[in-house]
Amino acid sequence: MTKTIIECNDVNFRYEHSTVLENISLDVKEGEFWALIGPNGSGKSTLINIILGLLKADQGTVKLFGQDVDSFKQRERIGYVSQKSNSFNSGFPATVVEVVKSGLTRKVGLFKSFSKHDEQKALDALRIVKMEDFASKNIGELSGGQQQRVFIARALVGEPELLIMDEPTVGIDQKNVASFYSMLNELNGEHGIAILLVTHEIDLVTELATHVACLNRSIHFHGMQSEYKKMNDTDISLWYGHPVRRVHQEQKGI
Amino acid sequence: MISALFTYEFLQNAFLSGLIIGVIAPLLGLFIVVRRLALIADALSHVALAGIAGSLFLSQSVLMFSALNPVYLGMASAVGGSLLIERLRGAYKHFEELAIPIILSTGIGFGAIFISLAKGFSSDLVGYLFGSVSAVSRQDLWVVVIIAVVVVAFIRFFYKEMFALSFDKEYAKVSGINGKFIQIIFMIIVALVIGASMRIVGILLVSSLMTIPVAAAIQLAKSFKGALIYSIVIGELSVIIGLIAAFHLDIAPGGTIVITSIIILLLVLGWTKMKGKQPSKKAKEEFA
Ligand SMILES: Nc1ncnc2c1ncn2[C@@H]1O[C@H](COP(=O)(O)OP(=O)(O)OP(=O)(O)O)[C@@H](O)[C@H]1O
Ligand SMILES: [Mg+2]
């Protein structure tokens, strides 16, 4: 039986004045690659924060690897790239490799220091995102897209079993987005890492993801990528609340 | 000076404590500065002032307190203040920095009351405010040594957690680092270091020794490790030069130490500005 890695059951959430999430149930199973799509303000980041335990659902339960999120301790099994990764203090004195190594903090364990081996792991992760040449640069001196790639490396360095990414490709140029997505494909296809990816690239990403969920306060569609592709654009526009047109790969002539 | 160092125990006490403080104050200061909490040290030192003034007042009126070293009550109130700041930061989620002026004013308020009750400034009190070369006892030195051991052990064991928390609090939380626990320990240690440093640099200038060397170091360093090393080197340099000057000129060491660190900071700022004007070799290579 395939294990369920993320289990959201009837999750409801409201900020002080407005309900943001209503009756969200969503399961991510071993080996699945989910694309979470939806318009701005539809609650995607909020849902991610609830899944990660940064916010608490008003109602409903969230389980990670079969355990309640509040008591889930094996955090090293999760890699995370937040939507506002770049909002750190740009004067912070830290090199790229120091930032990536910090992704190993939990894995190395309390009271221990990083070893040469950990340093090597960080460099390997940087190689994946093609940033190895920048290892000893100050993080604040990189461009936004380069920083974003460093944060992706930080999420990958601990070899997580689940990757959660909130619009990780914002600010990354087309060439590197393509190679980033092919890397996700490889991580998911060959290493079996489960992925939950928030994105606005509604046409591109469905080529990679095995599953798609469309969120706008509640989940309007969730299912296999093939079903999503069969939907017509009018339905999707209805969920989005504004006209949406997907451009299929064939049409783009890639 | 060297011969005096061998002759007078008080000078040895002052120099050894100074050398140790020159390491631990900027070491903790780095973590304070990168987390944009530079004013916390200020708030806590003023709470320590309340404790010191309280102790000096009580020593006049209550027999039990006349034998007690005021440093202890100062340290204890700083620790209490640090816990209060954490509490308040929780209460004002969106205005975390508001906790700092609240605690700072509380400290000064009580300080003023106790100083008045004790019938004004005694020469003792002036020593606590601006530091003193002659007032450091063997006992004070031992307190500094013990606190230094605690600080170094804390940074040694929690370095990577402290880095992760300082750089990206949210990510640290997601990756399961117990930020609350580490933060409370950190705040207590900051309070202890303030208590340990006030004999030498004085209550009013403790926070400067925690922040000014760091301000210079982050201009020079690219890495966090580098910033840490530069902070300590600059802190140590300021203490040594400052203490020697204080001894020879017979002035309060707090002043000479802090002004030395300010001069170093200005030199560093000048140097980085000059360097910034002419494109570095590296930048040229990248354009080529
Ligand atoms: N801290 C907050 N306090 C109050 N309301 C909030 C807060 N954060 C988000 N919201 C509201 O919750 C709703 C969902 O926000 P969320 O960030 O989850 O959207 P999103 O789907 O991630 O959008 P985007 O595509 O722009 O990233 C929005 O209407 C937003 O205004
Ligand atoms: Mg979002």
Side-chain angles (χ1 to χ4, degrees), chain B residues 13-14 17-18 21 130-132 136 196-202 243 253-254 257:
Chain B
N13 296 341
S17 329
I21 289 161
F130 303 113
S132 156
V136 186
S197 314
M198 63 195 170
R199 266 299 195 193
I200 302 284
V201 278
L243 275 178
I257 291 172

Side-chain angles (χ1 to χ4, degrees), chain B residues 143-166:
Chain B
V143 172
V144 170
V145 169
I146 292 166
I147 289 173
V149 171
V150 174
V151 170
V152 172
F154 175 77
I155 299 295
R156 166 75 186 70
F157 289 132
F158 290 101
Y159 178 83
K160 57 187 197 316
E161 282 80 8
M162 284 297 293
F163 175 86
L165 281 166
S166 311

Side-chain angles (χ1 to χ4, degrees), chain B residues 245-252:
Chain B
F247 175 76
H248 282 294
L249 306 171
D250 192 24
I251 42 185

Side-chain angles (χ1 to χ4, degrees), chain A residues 54 75 80 82 84 88-89 92-95 98 103 105-106 108-114 138 151 154, chain B residues 34 36 156-158 160-161 163 166-168 170-171 173-177 218 222-225 227 286:
Chain A
L54 291 170
R75 293 273 169 172
Y80 171 53
S82 121
K84 4 170 247 236
F88 68 96
N89 169 6
F92 199 100
T95 56
E98 282 179 314
T105 305
R106 176 76 190 192
V108 169
L110 269 183
F111 308 124
K112 298 206 190 79
S113 312
F114 292 125
N138 182 281
F151 295 123
R154 179 179 65 175
Chain B
V34 295
R36 296 173 178 255
R156 166 75 186 70
F157 289 132
F158 290 101
K160 57 187 197 316
E161 282 80 8
F163 175 86
S166 311
F167 183 75
D168 187 342
E170 186 190 85
Y171 181 82
K173 200 169 171 197
V174 170
S175 49
I177 295 167
I218 55 181
K222 265 202 257 175
S223 68
F224 198 70
K225 273 253 160 70
E286 269 165 27

Side-chain angles (χ1 to χ4, degrees), chain B residues 39-55 70-86 88 99-112 114-115 125 128-129 187 190-192 194-195 198 202-204 206-207:
Chain B
L39 285 173
I40 272 192
D42 256 315
L44 292 183
S45 58
H46 286 86
V47 175
L49 168 69
I52 299 263
S55 190
V71 168
Y72 295 138
L73 206 53
M75 231 178 245
S77 45
V79 170
S82 69
L83 297 176
L84 264 177
I85 287 185
E86 276 315 295
L88 281 173
I100 293 171
I102 294 175
I103 294 295
L104 190 133
S105 340
T106 312
I108 299 181
F110 276 115
F114 287 127
I115 291 169
L125 187 63
Y128 284 110
L129 289 179
M187 290 293 287
V190 169
L192 290 176
I194 287 171
M198 63 195 170
I203 290 164
L204 296 180
V206 171
S207 64

Side-chain angles (χ1 to χ4, degrees), chain B residues 23-37:
Chain B
V23 173
I24 58 177
L27 176 61
L28 282 187
L30 174 62
F31 291 96
I32 294 178
V33 169
V34 295
R35 303 177 77 179
R36 296 173 178 255
L37 297 174

Side-chain angles (χ1 to χ4, degrees), chain A residues 35-51:
Chain A
L36 181 59
I37 59 174
N40 290 138
S42 57
K44 303 180 298 295
S45 298
T46 306
L47 180 60
I48 297 286
N49 283 338
I50 290 173
I51 290 172

